[in-house]
Amino acid sequence: KKLSNLLQAVNVNFADCISVFGAFCKLSSKPIKEGTVSDSINMRSKVFSLELILQIIENAGKGLKSYERFINQGIKKYLLIPLLENALSPIIRVFHLSIA
């Protein structure tokens, strides 16, 4: 019973982690028009979400980085397209965070 409760808690925590990660990815993929002021809320939101994504990836433990569900549900499902879109951005800060 304790093992079952532990596994259920892990699954709930993982689902929460993926939801938050997906929200950051979605926020990072919102389009920003060229010439947008760097201090605008849209620009700050995009840059902040890209910085958070980078921190999650860089500081993820060995277990999470090798966890197949995280790779499939987090990286492939939520992160791949926004990173590719942002890597084509004419905004230097966005471009740099995308390829970091």
Side-chain angles (χ1 to χ4, degrees):
K1 176 120 179 154
K2 287 183 181 182
L3 181 58
S4 175
N5 289 343
L6 178 62
L7 289 175
Q8 184 178 5
V10 167
N11 284 333
V12 168
N13 288 338
F14 180 77
D16 290 346
C17 174
I18 289 296
S19 294
V20 170
F21 187 78
F24 291 147
C25 292
K26 185 175 181 179
L27 186 59
S28 76
S29 68
K30 287 193 173 190
I32 300 289
K33 295 178 184 173
E34 191 173 348
T36 300
V37 179
S38 64
D39 200 27
S40 72
I41 190 73
N42 290 338
M43 181 67 77
R44 289 189 319 213
S45 295
K46 180 182 274 289
V47 169
F48 185 59
S49 62
L50 286 168
E51 288 172 344
L52 289 172
I53 291 167
L54 181 60
Q55 288 301 310
I56 290 169
I57 299 298
E58 285 181 342
N59 295 307
K62 187 177 181 180
L64 186 61
K65 286 181 179 179
S66 63
Y67 191 38
E68 189 174 330
R69 282 182 60 197
F70 177 70
I71 293 168
N72 289 330
Q73 293 179 11
I75 304 296
K76 290 180 182 177
K77 183 177 179 181
Y78 293 116
L79 185 60
L80 189 60
I81 299 300
L83 278 185
L84 290 173
E85 291 172 349
N86 286 316
L88 298 173
S89 175
I91 302 161
I92 300 299
R93 180 76 177 134
V94 172
F95 169 76
H96 282 270
L97 284 167
S98 300
I99 62 168

